[in-house]
Each structure stands twice: as C-alpha cells, then as structure tokens.
Amino acid sequence: MDINLLYAGAALAGTASALLYLRGKHWADAALAFAAGISLAALLAAPATLTASGSAGPLALDTTGAGIVPSDALASALAQLPSTPRNALIEIKGHGLQEAQWRDMPVRRVQWQPSNEGLLWLDFPRTLPLGRSFALTVRRGTPQAGWRLQLLAENGQLLAEARAGDAVAEALSVQWQPPMAETMVLQARLLDKDGKTAAQGPVPLRVLDAIPLQVQGRFGAPSFDTRVLNQLLTDSNSIIDWQTTLGKSLTRSEEARAPLVHPNLLVADAAWLESGGLRGALAQAAQGMPVLVLGGNAGDAALWQRELGLKLAPQSATTEREDMRHLLLSGATLDFAAGAQIPAAGGAWQAFARDKDGKPWLWQREWQKGRLLWLGVRDWHRHAISEPAALGQWWQQVLDMAALGSLQKVRWLEAEPMPLPGLRTELCAQGVAAGGAVSVGQEAMRWQARSERADAACVAFWPRAAGWLALNSQDTESAVFVYSVEDWPAWQAALRHDATARYASRSAQPVARLPRAGSAAAAPAAVADTQQAWACAVPRWLLGLAFASSLLLLWWRERR
C-alpha cells in the first residue's frame, strides 16, 4: 500500500468523523475527532529519526560488513526508510547494499563516502564455446606492486599465472584454453608480493560444444593464405563450401559435409570478385549475408571506386616496412604486410579495427541488409608454424567481427555477476515468450516480460543453496552457478559499492512530477506532503500524546 494513502486516509477519516459530529451540533466532539485524525496522520508521516531539537535528521544505514540477512539495527533502519519524506537524507556507512536490495527501496537523497580500499572486481565469461580462450581479469581497488594472479584447476593444478612485477598494477589478466567441453569450477588465487594468499575463490565455467560456423569461400587464385584459412576453419569444425579458381576453365571445389542452411559468412578474395563474382556477392550482402573481402591481391582500383565507393591507393615500395600492421595478441605480436592496395577511409567506408599503433587493418561499410568488410593485410601464413595459437586467435577475432551469429532456439543471457543464496536473482533469455514455461532447479516458473528488455523475457528467483542450478526452457538447457556467502567477500563488497553508487546517482535525479493540483490523484499526495512538512516540526511523542488524549476525551464524552 502507498504510504501516502495511509497518511491521507487517517486525515480524511478524522475530517469525516468531525463532519458527522457537526451535523449533530456536537462542537467539542467534532474538534476532538478532527484533532485525533490529524495527529494520527502526522504521527504516521513523521520521520523516525529526530534530533534533540525535534527536526528531522538523516536516517543512518550502517552497512559495514552487511550480508544477505541484515543485522537487527540495519533491518530496523531499512523498515523506516519507506516512511521518510521524499526529500529526506539517508547516511550510508560502509559499502551499502546489493543491487537487488536497493531495487526495493524508495529513492532518497544519499550522504555517502565511497572507498575502494580492499575491493576486488572479477571479469570473466560464465559460458564459453569450445575452441575459445578463457580470459579472467581481476582488478583491485588499490593498485599494488608485486602481486600475482593464478588460475587453478579443480584439482589445484596451476593453469595460468600473471605477475605485476615491480611496477604498481591495478589489474591482471590470465588466459587459458579449455581442452574439452565440460562444466567446471576453477579457482582464482591472488598472492601478495610476499607470496601469501590475499584472496581465493571459485570461478565457474561452462565450456560448450561450439555451433559449427557455415562459411562460403570463393577465391580467384590459390594461395598459402587461403590454404591456412581453410585449415583453421576445418580444425574448428566449421562447415565450409570452398571453391578456388586454378585456371580459365579449372576450378577446385570442396563440398560442404552438410548443407549450408544458414550461412554465416562469404569469404572471397579480391581477384575472384574482380573477375566477375562481385555482382553475386553484392546480391548476397543485400539479403543480409556479410561478405569478407581478402584485399591482399586487389588490382582493379577503378572497379572498387566505381561499384562500392572504396578508394584504393597502391602501396609504396619504399614504405613497405612502415606500412606493416602489428597486432598484439595474448603472448605474441603478429606482423602482417599490408595489401597491395590500401583503402582510404571515407564516405560509407570506415575503419573497423586497428593495430597496436593505431593503423587500420579492417574496413567496413553497410550494404542494404548486410555488410561488406575489407581485410587489408596478407601473408598471415608465415605465422602458421611459428605462432599457430596466436594466428588462430586473430582469425577468431576476425570471424567474430565479420560473421553472423549462429541461429539458436533459445539464447540464455548472462545472469547476475554473483548470485547468492537468499538474494533475488534474475535470469533472462532471448527466443522465449512471456508466459512460457521455464524450470529453475526443481521449481517450475513462467517467463515474464521486462520493460527494460524488449527483446527478452526474464524470471526472478531466490536461490536456496550454493552450487550449480539447472535451467530448462523449450528443451534447451543451461545452468547458473550460485556462490556461497563466504565466497569472494572483497568482490561482494565491490558489487555492493557499485550498486550503492548507482542508487546514489538515481537519488540525484529529479523526482517524478506530481499530478496537477486539483486533480483527484493529487489530493492524497498533497495532504500527505503537508502532513510530512508539519510533522517534521513537531516531536513524535507530542503527536502521540495528542492522538491518545483526543481519543480518551472523545471516549469519556461518549460514555457520559
């Protein structure tokens, strides 16, 4: 129930009683009834925290070391928060509350001194397709020197490690390649400069079998680059339809092992497009198919300018070394030669990716329902033997930027950063309809629409215990990991810190405008605001005494 309606109801009840007494010309009884109603309304509207002078003071919320279940003092203060005036001030000590807890609280002005001391933030994917590298980043609230980040397997084996060295570092990252598809709970450990454990906790990860990428390849001449690309796609279990022109009337074809029902990408070199394939490629792009052009062997600059508005400039032989692109990947830097023709950004074409020196190597433009991308580097085959892992990672980045996502019946979205037992957790998914069935553990629930997520439906629940929680909707399974309340206390504090900062930013925004004066909806709110303003100037004990005295006198007069 709206607390404003409660205030207004008490005042209106006292006024109505007074009017009834006035009809019978009981003047004193009418005054007592009116006084009882107004004093009760003011008592309800009065803030619970008053200074010695009787004026309203800030409501103190001491959240130092707060958990999912608040202490008695904090619970009492939170219970008083909804009854405070709209312009009331709350004083927050500590890191505040979780996002789910703040979501249930009315917005009030905040007095808070945030501190990053001792906080940790963890960033990592909860779900990963097989073949991708898992990356974990840990950021500390206070930068330190000499600390280390370790990623441990379930049996305690060291998988990856990063060191800050002698320089002060705020964040460290580690990467690891999962060997197989499975559900696991890794461990992350932070060591200080003396080798002592500063923090350690679980890192849940679900490695899933990747959905095969469906790729069409069309090439005007054989090359080592396309051969290496073919091998990389084959090793990643992609479904490829590959054709390479060997001569005027000779083409080598590699048929796909399965029909390409929903192709994700067309890869073609510039030579094949210049020899007559451009029109068909543009027709596919117009229907939504991304087209990745390998521009290393481009020769007809006029064609690209005329058909696509792409300005190409021939590479100078004297600046070949300066035009090299240097791509920084995990543990390696790959050097690529620029194509024979270098695009100049302008018009519809824009640089889409740059190397570590800021030089572009991938360009893009929209083409009706699809996109055209120009890969302006070549000779990547030279890294196939010396840096195979880094080369595969780079091509994975290119495909992620270029290819369409694979069609999925249900796409589960990432849950809350750290679900905890007893804390409201929300799960969302795309491809499901509001009202559809979803099972969370052993509990059957229904998807609900969310105004802030127009393309997805969500469900809220309260986990009961730590561990993996199975999810199922439309015969599509997933899982979410629920942390223990003892896991990662510094990360929990950081999440509360961020949630409190968001709540404080909302309190600084203008409140919603009240209904127009004179309207039916405005009457209760206007009465309530008047009562709150008056109640702030009168002590609560005096309001209670006035209410009790009015009722006693009215009862005594009725008994006579």
Side-chain angles (χ1 to χ4, degrees), residues 233-412:
L233 291 172
T234 302
D235 292 343
S236 65
N237 199 34
S238 298
I239 302 175
I240 56 176
D241 176 12
W242 215 257
Q243 294 181 12
T244 304
T245 302
L246 303 179
K248 288 186 177 181
S249 59
L250 183 60
T251 300
R252 184 180 64 203
S253 299
E254 180 180 340
E255 294 185 1
R257 69 175 189 272
L260 272 67
V261 181
H262 299 287
N264 303 100
L265 180 67
L266 169 62
V267 182
D269 64 359
W272 182 81
L273 296 169
E274 291 174 355
S275 62
L278 181 59
R279 186 175 300 276
L282 293 181
Q284 288 182 279
Q287 297 300 317
M289 168 85 78
V291 177
L292 176 62
V293 181
L294 307 183
N297 58 3
D300 191 349
L303 172 69
W304 299 104
Q305 171 69 35
R306 182 177 65 254
E307 299 293 336
L308 298 178
L310 178 62
K311 297 180 181 180
L312 296 176
Q315 182 191 20
S316 174
T318 59
T319 61
E320 182 176 356
R321 182 174 294 275
E322 289 77 7
D323 289 335
M324 295 281 290
R325 280 10 182 207
H326 309 284
L327 276 75
L328 183 62
L329 299 159
S330 58
T333 299
L334 301 184
D335 301 327
F336 294 133
Q341 303 278 344
I342 301 178
W349 288 89
Q350 300 295 330
F352 193 49
R354 300 177 183 271
D355 69 353
K356 68 175 186 178
D357 302 320
K359 291 180 289 188
W361 55 269
L362 184 66
W363 291 260
Q364 173 189 259
R365 70 158 293 174
E366 302 295 326
W367 189 263
Q368 296 185 27
K369 296 181 181 180
R371 298 180 300 148
L372 303 175
L373 298 102
W374 184 282
L375 184 62
V377 296
R378 54 188 169 89
D379 295 340
W380 56 77
H381 67 273
R382 292 186 293 184
H383 301 286
I385 297 177
S386 59
E387 298 289 349
L391 180 62
Q393 183 182 353
W394 173 67
W395 260 110
Q396 187 64 67
Q397 292 179 1
V398 176
L399 295 174
D400 287 343
M401 290 185 285
L404 288 174
S406 299
L407 293 178
Q408 299 180 28
K409 186 178 180 181
V410 175
R411 182 171 178 264
W412 299 89

Side-chain angles (χ1 to χ4, degrees), residues 140 142-148 164-169 191-194:
R140 309 189 72 154
T142 305
Q144 297 184 14
W147 64 288
R148 289 181 289 163
D166 296 331
V168 174
L191 304 174
D192 60 18
K193 61 181 180 180
D194 298 325

Side-chain angles (χ1 to χ4, degrees), residues 477-538:
E477 297 181 348
S478 185
V480 62
F481 184 79
V482 180
Y483 293 81
S484 171
V485 292
E486 290 83 15
D487 292 336
W488 295 112
W491 188 19
Q492 292 188 44
L495 294 176
R496 288 169 27 224
H497 172 278
D498 294 344
T500 304
R502 288 189 292 269
Y503 177 82
S505 66
R506 291 198 300 270
S507 69
Q509 298 175 359
V511 297
R513 186 172 297 176
L514 292 175
R516 290 181 302 172
S519 65
V527 173
D529 285 346
T530 302
Q531 292 162 353
Q532 286 187 345
W534 183 72
C536 290
V538 182

